[in-house]
């Protein structure tokens, strides 16, 4: 006797366009509100983007992160991040920490006098501590990192749009682009609203969200294309509803199991990865929503030429060249 867990029945008939103006309108309002919030409140950039100094320490004693933090607090250094570094090659009594300190005013790096005070404060907590490296990231380098991060997100988005155009048709790529803008925009908006630290790990999360979101969207688009060939006379809206219903079980199961893992990490993973995991959790939620309520709405709004539905436009593109692909 086999047991199969099902969060959604095999056959459903939900009308995902019943409140289309409400769901799609809410997405439009949320994206605009996120842009306004980001422009007005700005982002709480971490050391990666604001500049600062990273000090790497090593000790034979177990690390006292709370003690380190309490010792540095009176120095008024601003944003300080202390993390323990794990490496399977470390000896049993080798305890390494990474201490990141934000740039002090317009200075390129923390001054030697301040470094001396930091070392003295940490040695008061752990006399065995050694300082094995000190690295600084100036404001100029941080500015370059911001632009590199922006270009990486834009390049990933452009590549995804081109892929969807080649794989399907140009109308699908516009829908996919709208869904990606929706997901990234809402993620940036919530980070700005709650002033959650925004650093390079969040950029990595955004790129991961782009991949997760387009995966869900492509699954729906694939089923839509199959159904357009099977049901040539069925209205486009009904074919879209049928396609989302047929993929709903897979969508809910995939998103649900992913969220279980992410929420566990969010609760138990600690401060070091909490920002990354929060971005991923939020991204999975909005990415699932956009694949159901945003991408296909754009395709329906633009419309499809039902008389020119190739079975697989990408096959035509790769066998006959992009110039002969439809459209």
């Amino acid at each position: 006797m086999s047991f199969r867990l099902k969060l959604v029945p095999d056959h459903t008939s939900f009308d995902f366009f019943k409140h289309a103006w409400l769901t799609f309108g809410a997405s439009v309002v949320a994206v605009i509100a996120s842009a306004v919030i980001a422009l007005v409140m700005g982002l709480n950039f971490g050391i990666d983007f604001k500049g600062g100094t990273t000090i790497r320490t090593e000790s034979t004693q177990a690390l006292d992160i709370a003690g380190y933090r309490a010792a540095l607090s009176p120095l008024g250094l601003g944003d300080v991040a202390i993390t323990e570094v794990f490496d399977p090659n470390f000896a049993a009594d080798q305890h390494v920490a990474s201490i990141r300190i934000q740039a002090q005013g317009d200075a390129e790096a923390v001054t030697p006098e301040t470094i001396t005070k930091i070392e003295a404060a940490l040695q008061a907590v752990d006399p065995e501590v050694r300082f094995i490296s000190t690295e600084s990231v100036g404001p100029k380098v941080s500015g370059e990192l911001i632009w590199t991060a922006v270009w990486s997100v834009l390049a990933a988005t452009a590549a995804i749009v081109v892929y969807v155009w080649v794989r399907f048709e140009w109308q699908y790529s516009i829908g996919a682009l709208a869904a990606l803008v929706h997901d990234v925009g809402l993620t940036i908006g919530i980070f700005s609203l709650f002033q959650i630290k925004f650093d390079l790990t969040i950029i990595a999360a955004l790129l991961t969200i782009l991949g997760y979101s387009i995966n869900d969207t492509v699954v729906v688009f694939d089923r839509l294309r199959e159904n357009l060939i099977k049901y040539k006379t069925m209205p486009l809206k009904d074919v879209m509803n049928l396609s989302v219903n047929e993929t709903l079980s897979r969508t809910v199961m995939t998103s649900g199991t992913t969220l279980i893992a992410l929420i566990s990490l969010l609760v138990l993973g600690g401060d070091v990865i909490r920002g990354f995991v929060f971005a991923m959790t939020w991204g999975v939620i909005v990415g699932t929503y956009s694949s159901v309520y945003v991408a296909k709405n754009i395709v329906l709004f633009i419309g499809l030429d039902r008389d020119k539905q190739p079975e697989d436009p990408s096959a035509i593109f790769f066998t006959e060249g992009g110039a002969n692909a439809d459209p």
Side-chain angles (χ1 to χ4, degrees):
M1 179 177 179
S2 63
F3 174 76
R4 292 179 60 195
L5 175 63
K6 293 183 180 179
L7 299 179
V8 177
D10 288 335
H11 303 288
T12 59
S13 57
F14 297 113
D15 182 2
F16 291 98
F17 289 100
K18 186 175 182 180
H19 303 291
W21 287 109
L22 177 62
T23 54
F24 188 70
S27 293
V28 172
V29 170
V31 170
I32 295 174
S34 296
V36 172
I37 291 171
L39 289 173
V40 173
M41 299 181 63
L43 290 167
N44 179 20
F45 288 118
I47 291 173
D48 295 337
F49 293 137
K50 288 192 299 188
T53 296
T54 299
I55 301 173
R56 197 175 176 94
T57 70
E58 183 176 315
S59 176
T60 55
Q61 297 185 16
L63 292 177
D64 182 2
I65 300 296
Y68 280 18
R69 202 180 304 281
L72 297 180
S73 181
L75 299 181
L77 299 171
D79 186 9
V80 177
I82 306 173
T83 57
E84 185 168 4
V85 179
F86 294 98
D87 191 312
N89 297 318
F90 286 168
D93 62 345
Q94 188 178 9
H95 304 284
V96 178
S98 174
I99 303 171
R100 296 190 297 174
I101 304 163
Q102 74 172 54
Q104 307 295 299
D106 297 329
E108 288 286 330
V110 176
T111 63
E113 292 76 14
T114 303
I115 296 290
T116 301
K117 292 180 181 178
I118 293 170
E119 292 178 353
L122 296 179
Q123 284 173 332
V125 177
D126 179 5
E128 301 296 326
V129 68
R130 295 186 298 114
F131 304 95
I132 54 180
S133 68
T134 301
E135 299 175 349
S136 296
V137 178
K140 181 180 178 180
V141 175
S142 299
E144 293 174 354
L145 283 176
I146 291 176
W147 281 110
T148 301
V150 170
W151 283 116
S152 66
V153 173
L154 292 178
T157 304
I160 289 172
V161 169
V162 170
Y163 161 74
V164 174
W165 170 64
V166 172
R167 186 74 179 83
F168 299 93
E169 296 181 65
W170 67 269
Q171 295 95 330
Y172 292 83
S173 66
I174 300 299
L177 175 62
L180 296 179
V181 170
H182 171 272
D183 300 344
V184 173
L186 293 193
T187 303
I188 291 175
I190 199 167
F191 268 74
S192 177
L193 179 64
F194 294 108
Q195 289 295 290
I196 303 170
K197 191 179 297 179
F198 195 92
D199 52 25
L200 284 177
T201 62
I202 308 305
I203 297 299
L206 288 178
L207 294 173
T208 308
I209 290 169
L210 290 178
Y212 185 91
S213 176
I214 197 61
N215 182 55
D216 258 0
T217 304
V218 164
V219 168
V220 176
F221 283 174
D222 254 330
R223 184 58 59 90
L224 172 60
R225 185 176 56 187
E226 293 172 6
N227 286 335
L228 284 172
I229 297 170
K230 291 168 61 178
Y231 306 100
K232 293 183 179 297
T233 59
M234 183 183 289
L236 180 58
K237 186 198 296 189
D238 293 341
V239 181
M240 288 183 168
N241 253 331
L242 175 65
S243 304
V244 177
N245 275 291
E246 288 181 347
T247 56
L248 188 61
S249 178
R250 177 264 175 204
T251 300
V252 172
M253 185 63 78
T254 303
S255 300
T257 51
T258 306
L259 283 174
I260 289 173
L262 288 172
I263 291 173
S264 300
L265 285 172
L266 193 62
V267 175
L268 305 172
D271 291 337
V272 177
I273 61 171
R274 186 155 291 147
F276 174 83
V277 176
F278 175 78
M280 285 295 303
T281 305
W282 176 255
V284 168
I285 294 171
V286 297
T288 303
Y289 179 88
S290 68
S291 66
V292 175
Y293 287 106
V294 176
K296 66 178 179 50
N297 291 53
I298 295 292
V299 177
L300 178 65
F301 179 76
I302 297 174
L304 293 171
D305 188 347
R306 304 288 297 274
D307 297 328
K308 296 182 178 179
Q309 287 299 310
E311 293 191 0
D312 188 348
S314 62
I316 298 174
F317 185 92
F318 288 116
T319 56
E320 300 181 12
N324 297 327
D326 191 5

